[in-house]
Amino acid sequence: MAESLPKANGVKENKIWKGIFAVSGIMSTLVIYGVLQEKIMRVPYGLNKEYFKYSLFLVFCNRITTSAVSAGSLLASKKALDPVAPVYKYCLISASNILTTTCQYEALKYVSFPVQTLAKCAKMIPVMIWGTFIMQKSYKGFDYLVAFLVTLGCSIFILFPAGTDISPYSSGRENTVWGVFLMVGYLGFDGFTSTFQDKLFKGYNMEIHNQIFYTTLCSCVLSFTGLIVQGHLLSAIDFVYRHNDCFLDIVLLSTVATASQFFISYTIRTFGALTFAAIMTTRQLASIMLSCLWFSHPLSWEQWIGAVIVFGSLYTKNLKKASPKPPPPQQIQNSASSPVKGVP
């Protein structure tokens, strides 16, 4: 019994350090990523004030960087490059991930970054829906209450923007129907991506680098094909060639996007998809505050109320989950009466 206590404490401490590593990694990479993606998609470049409009090119650059790094990691660790799961399952994650990222970049043309980021807090809703269908999970009534409050807060935040916050791609206010539609698409595809990643990790016991390599490799092929079909590849290259500062922004964006992919996959594998959605809450709050300060986004008093409802609900949920639960009475009785438990 005396030996089991230090062992249990060591496991708990190890999990705490893993949690700190996951949270700090996601926070640092995705906050920088958020600032850069808003700068690239909403701030004009050059003397002629040209806007970068090729969101699929950003996806391609991000994924080819991540694929190269993950392949290098697998080779350096002398691990096999062979797929662990059927290739079509990697392609499913890849396709949904491309749609997620494309919706995210395109939405920035019609809604401000704070609106987009707060809407991401509703990520737990599609995660719960996909988790029910894909993982056959069941959720408690409190989880559905939090999901309802988050949806309510996001709706208030989107429907009551500050009148002076105008998108550079439209003459109207931020809450355009197309922007909201793109955010709904983002949430649906992103929820599927993280839930299906969770299923693959648990079903095939695969390495993080293995999943990242094959999903990003598929994403490279799909995004490159999309650029060719749309005829945007040469236009995007020409834009980057003419604007060196845009090239540097894309390089930095791809670097932090690659790092964030590893942190996200590590978090989902270690703690699960719903825990990952909860960890993102603090990152989103920090991103909103930084964006409002950096890009001077005004917030209406209704948006402040919506933000308080969203983050208050999510932090309450996290505190409730963190509170210690007493063991069942039957388990205590069995532990006390078991002769095996008393042997050191």
Side-chain angles (χ1 to χ4, degrees), residues 227-238:
L227 285 168
I228 296 296
V229 171
Q230 293 176 351
H232 288 172
L233 180 61
L234 295 179
S235 301
I237 293 174
D238 177 66

Side-chain angles (χ1 to χ4, degrees), residues 28-143:
S28 58
T29 56
L30 291 185
V31 166
I32 297 171
Y33 177 82
V35 172
L36 283 171
Q37 71 171 351
E38 182 171 17
K39 182 177 184 292
I40 293 171
M41 297 303 296
R42 290 178 67 95
V43 176
Y45 289 94
L47 297 175
N48 295 327
K49 303 294 182 182
E50 297 179 78
Y51 288 98
F52 186 84
K53 301 178 181 179
Y54 313 103
S55 54
L56 200 56
F57 183 76
L58 294 180
V59 177
F60 174 71
C61 292
N62 292 351
R63 299 304 178 265
I64 198 170
T65 304
T66 306
S67 180
V69 172
S70 57
S73 299
L74 285 171
L75 292 173
S77 58
K78 297 181 180 180
K79 292 177 181 176
L81 283 173
D82 299 331
V84 178
V87 175
Y88 79 90
K89 293 191 175 182
Y90 293 106
C91 290
L92 273 176
I93 294 177
S94 174
S96 65
N97 187 257
I98 285 179
L99 291 169
T100 298
T101 312
T102 303
C103 286
Q104 178 180 343
Y105 288 140
E106 287 295 313
L108 278 174
K109 296 179 180 179
Y110 306 98
V111 298
S112 67
F113 184 77
V115 169
Q116 186 198 74
T117 303
L118 194 82
K120 289 178 184 179
C121 292
K123 178 177 181 165
M124 62 179 297
I125 300 168
V127 166
M128 289 170 67
I129 294 172
W130 287 117
T132 302
F133 286 103
I134 296 176
M135 306 285 285
Q136 282 78 51
K137 289 184 177 180
S138 59
Y139 300 96
K140 298 178 181 179
F142 181 75
D143 293 323

Side-chain angles (χ1 to χ4, degrees), residues 8-313:
N9 290 335
V11 171
K12 185 177 180 181
E13 184 178 346
N14 186 42
K15 193 167 184 178
I16 290 172
W17 282 112
K18 285 181 178 180
I20 293 172
F21 176 72
V23 171
S24 59
I26 289 174
M27 283 282 290
S28 58
T29 56
L30 291 185
V31 166
I32 297 171
Y33 177 82
V35 172
L36 283 171
Q37 71 171 351
E38 182 171 17
K39 182 177 184 292
I40 293 171
M41 297 303 296
R42 290 178 67 95
V43 176
Y45 289 94
L47 297 175
N48 295 327
K49 303 294 182 182
E50 297 179 78
Y51 288 98
F52 186 84
K53 301 178 181 179
Y54 313 103
S55 54
L56 200 56
F57 183 76
L58 294 180
V59 177
F60 174 71
C61 292
N62 292 351
R63 299 304 178 265
I64 198 170
T65 304
T66 306
S67 180
V69 172
S70 57
S73 299
L74 285 171
L75 292 173
S77 58
K78 297 181 180 180
K79 292 177 181 176
L81 283 173
D82 299 331
V84 178
V87 175
Y88 79 90
K89 293 191 175 182
Y90 293 106
C91 290
L92 273 176
I93 294 177
S94 174
S96 65
N97 187 257
I98 285 179
L99 291 169
T100 298
T101 312
T102 303
C103 286
Q104 178 180 343
Y105 288 140
E106 287 295 313
L108 278 174
K109 296 179 180 179
Y110 306 98
V111 298
S112 67
F113 184 77
V115 169
Q116 186 198 74
T117 303
L118 194 82
K120 289 178 184 179
C121 292
K123 178 177 181 165
M124 62 179 297
I125 300 168
V127 166
M128 289 170 67
I129 294 172
W130 287 117
T132 302
F133 286 103
I134 296 176
M135 306 285 285
Q136 282 78 51
K137 289 184 177 180
S138 59
Y139 300 96
K140 298 178 181 179
F142 181 75
D143 293 323
Y144 289 105
L145 174 62
V146 171
F148 168 76
L149 291 173
V150 168
T151 305
L152 176 65
C154 289
S155 300
I156 293 172
F157 198 91
I158 292 171
L159 293 173
F160 297 95
T164 55
D165 204 3
I166 305 299
S167 167
Y169 291 86
S170 66
S171 57
R173 294 170 66 178
E174 291 285 2
N175 57 321
T176 62
V177 174
W178 183 237
V180 173
F181 176 77
L182 286 168
M183 285 311 303
V184 171
Y186 164 84
L187 290 171
F189 291 125
D190 192 50
F192 175 84
T193 302
S194 58
T195 305
F196 204 74
Q197 278 183 303
D198 196 7
K199 183 179 177 67
L200 285 193
F201 277 133
K202 292 177 180 177
Y204 292 93
N205 192 29
M206 63 175 58
E207 291 289 331
I208 293 173
H209 298 298
N210 182 278
Q211 185 182 117
I212 291 177
F213 173 69
Y214 279 99
T215 53
T216 53
L217 185 63
C218 292
S219 295
C220 287
V221 175
L222 292 174
S223 56
F224 184 78
T225 303
L227 285 168
I228 296 296
V229 171
Q230 293 176 351
H232 288 172
L233 180 61
L234 295 179
S235 301
I237 293 174
D238 177 66
F239 187 97
V240 172
Y241 178 77
R242 288 186 291 108
H243 302 286
N244 291 332
D245 49 345
C246 181
F247 172 75
L248 294 175
D249 287 340
I250 292 175
V251 169
L252 185 55
L253 181 77
S254 299
T255 302
V256 295
T258 298
S260 70
Q261 282 293 316
F262 286 99
F263 282 115
I264 288 170
S265 295
Y266 172 81
T267 303
I268 291 173
R269 186 185 181 191
T270 308
F271 300 101
L274 195 59
T275 302
F276 164 66
I279 289 175
M280 294 291 281
T281 305
T282 303
R283 193 278 299 185
Q284 287 153 352
L285 179 59
S287 294
I288 288 175
M289 294 299 104
L290 183 60
S291 178
C292 288
L293 292 172
W294 195 291
F295 297 101
S296 303
H297 291 299
L299 295 179
S300 64
W301 65 269
E302 293 96 343
Q303 286 182 309
W304 283 109
I305 292 174
V308 169
I309 292 174
V310 170
F311 290 112
S313 302

